[in-house]
Amino acid sequence: MQLIDSFGREIHSLRVSVTDRCNFRCTYCMPPEGIELLPRAHFLTYEQMTRLVGILARLGVRKVRLTGGEPLLRKDLAELVAMLRPLPGIEDISLTTNGYHLTEYAQALWDAGLRRINVSLDSLDKAHFHAVTRVDAFDRVWQGIEAAIATGFRVKLNAVALKETPMDDMVAFAGLAKSRGIETRFIEFMPLCGQGWEPDKVLPIAMVREAVGRAFRLDPDEIARGSSVAETYRVEGGGRVGFIGSLTEPFCEHCDRVRLGVDGRLQLCLFRDESLELRPFLEHHAPDEEIINYLMSGVKLKAAGHGFRWDDPRNQSRPNIRSIGG
Ligand code: SAM
Ligand code: SF4
């Protein structure tokens, strides 16, 4: 059995949000204060998450990324990794984190079977990092990255490209690809942060690619992009960089992903409202077949594309990426 939407796209990737809480306040993600949080009583348990991932794996999901909020605020996250790893069909489990608690948990996550981690790091400049995350923690995050690499993880960096970030800062990441072999993926600023989003703040991903390409020769990656959100390039002298242009270079046609919120809502697209409420099925101990039937028909609601428009008034009020699972 395979989850397949109305446009023939097969669903193979799942993002699982394990919390909507975060210890950072990145300017592009949330306001400094006044954040509405889900009641903890609405959180799925790890057993419930594992059951749903197991069912989705029966329907063709192969890759799971744990995210949030900040997933490493869950002290026992390694337990969830250990629960997901043996599920038949799941081939790849990864984590996206701000890296603040990585030094503490790298070994436990490795022992649980995790092998890939993406760390969000928007600047290699400490002051700019502080300004963007609103937390003075560059050194600590960098230590976390080093600890993860030393443990054996394949580590990539995520950097949101903002107009306010000096281009030299972004170019420096390509230098890191060359000197350390660490891949950075530049992400276009999306309207998933409420009032803080303005069209003028978006730095089109092509401009980042051009700036990096002026400093380093970039050759398109020979690895087929497939359903990957990033368009990757080999950096002259070693390493890779990736570019994710959700707004100006959308990749919806090849989308193979859905997102499970910590409250059990399966979101079919980051930018759209269509979602499937799975928590009631879990609370009523519905049999797997009932959930499978709901998923197989519900996935047909997945829209052809995100339908983003620059002048859409909803850009200021879309659900936060933190609550959907980034
Ligand atoms: N807290 C973790 C972290 O920061 O890596 C995981 C959750 S975070 C929501 C997941 C990813 O979404 C991060 O790489 C972050 O940079 C990105 N992100 C958050 N808000 C964004 C926005 N408005 N536009 C583009 N990317 C965003
Ligand atoms: Fe927290 Fe990640 Fe959002 Fe930054 S991007 S505020 S680290 S959830």
Side-chain angles (χ1 to χ4, degrees), residues 168-180:
D168 286 354
D169 244 33
M170 288 188 252
V171 170
F173 281 109
L176 203 56
K178 197 168 162 172
S179 62
R180 297 285 309 272

Side-chain angles (χ1 to χ4, degrees), residues 20-30 67-71 96-99 120 122 132-133 160 320-322:
D20 63 341
R21 274 63 171 167
C22 190
N23 52 334
F24 283 17
R25 291 289 179 272
C26 303
T27 53
Y28 52 74
C29 182
M30 52 173 108
T67 180
E70 173 45 40
T96 300
T97 171
N98 63 28
S120 298
D122 302 305
V132 172
T133 58
V160 175
N320 187 285
I321 190 168
R322 163 189 61 89

Side-chain angles (χ1 to χ4, degrees), residues 7-321:
F7 305 93
R9 293 170 301 188
E10 296 183 356
I11 305 300
H12 297 298
S13 305
L14 173 71
R15 300 198 173 216
V16 179
S17 173
V18 297
T19 180
D20 63 341
R21 274 63 171 167
C22 190
N23 52 334
F24 283 17
R25 291 289 179 272
C26 303
T27 53
Y28 52 74
C29 182
M30 52 173 108
E33 52 203 19
I35 294 154
E36 266 179 53
L37 295 172
L38 287 166
R40 273 187 207 277
H42 290 193
F43 281 22
L44 298 185
T45 63
Y46 283 173
E47 285 72 22
Q48 289 173 324
M49 287 179 195
T50 305
R51 180 171 177 218
L52 287 179
V53 176
I55 291 172
L56 285 159
R58 284 177 61 191
L59 301 179
V61 164
R62 298 287 168 258
K63 298 199 269 180
V64 178
R65 177 172 291 278
L66 303 177
T67 180
E70 173 45 40
L72 291 181
L73 291 187
R74 303 282 306 253
K75 294 185 173 55
D76 52 1
L77 191 72
E79 281 174 32
L80 178 63
V81 174
M83 288 162 81
L84 298 178
R85 219 172 63 99
L87 291 174
I90 296 301
E91 295 164 1
D92 181 61
I93 303 176
S94 55
L95 169 72
T96 300
T97 171
N98 63 28
Y100 189 85
H101 289 294
L102 205 42
T103 307
E104 290 149 82
Y105 297 125
Q107 191 61 52
L109 291 166
W110 178 270
D111 294 344
L114 191 76
R115 294 293 178 264
R116 296 201 304 117
I117 299 182
N118 284 17
V119 181
S120 298
L121 188 77
D122 302 305
S123 175
L124 294 172
D125 176 84
K126 286 182 196 183
H128 190 66
F129 174 92
H130 186 174
V132 172
T133 58
R134 301 190 176 106
V135 180
D136 186 7
F138 179 88
D139 288 338
R140 182 169 169 144
V141 170
W142 189 258
Q143 275 165 22
I145 293 167
E146 293 285 15
I149 293 171
T151 308
F153 284 103
R154 279 161 55 204
V155 175
K156 288 184 190 171
L157 306 181
N158 286 355
V160 175
L162 299 167
K163 270 239 171 91
E164 69 208 51
T165 308
M167 255 331 165
D168 286 354
D169 244 33
M170 288 188 252
V171 170
F173 281 109
L176 203 56
K178 197 168 162 172
S179 62
R180 297 285 309 272
I182 304 173
E183 178 175 329
T184 297
R185 295 143 55 104
F186 298 99
I187 307 172
E188 217 160 49
F189 179 30
M190 299 180 284
L192 298 165
C193 58
Q195 298 288 327
W197 191 87
E198 297 290 342
D200 287 350
K201 291 187 185 169
V202 176
L203 181 63
I205 207 71
M207 292 181 68
V208 184
R209 191 167 43 230
E210 275 160 32
V212 175
R214 273 195 298 275
F216 295 90
R217 203 183 82 214
L218 298 180
D219 291 315
D221 214 330
E222 63 282 357
I223 300 167
R225 181 173 181 179
S227 61
S228 167
V229 294
E231 185 191 21
T232 51
Y233 288 80
R234 281 179 292 113
V235 178
E236 179 186 14
R240 287 184 160 76
V241 284
F243 300 92
I244 305 176
S246 309
L247 305 184
T248 60
E249 300 175 6
F251 34 82
C252 305
E253 212 183 310
H254 303 290
C255 181
D256 75 341
R257 106 189 21 85
V258 292
R259 296 175 148 84
L260 180 64
V262 68
D263 58 352
R265 204 153 46 91
L266 193 78
Q267 188 92 17
L268 302 177
C269 169
L270 253 182
F271 287 86
R272 299 184 62 100
D273 298 335
E274 296 87 5
S275 64
L276 308 178
E277 292 287 352
L278 298 175
R279 198 154 57 97
F281 289 88
L282 298 169
E283 283 172 351
H284 296 118
H285 306 286
D288 284 6
E289 297 318 315
E290 212 176 292
I291 300 177
I292 286 174
N293 288 340
Y294 180 56
L295 288 167
M296 291 293 282
S297 59
V299 74
K300 305 291 183 207
L301 295 173
K302 187 170 163 74
H306 56 47
F308 166 79
R309 281 188 296 109
W310 291 94
D311 59 352
D312 192 337
R314 287 177 309 164
N315 290 338
Q316 299 288 320
S317 60
R318 291 178 195 275
N320 187 285
I321 190 168

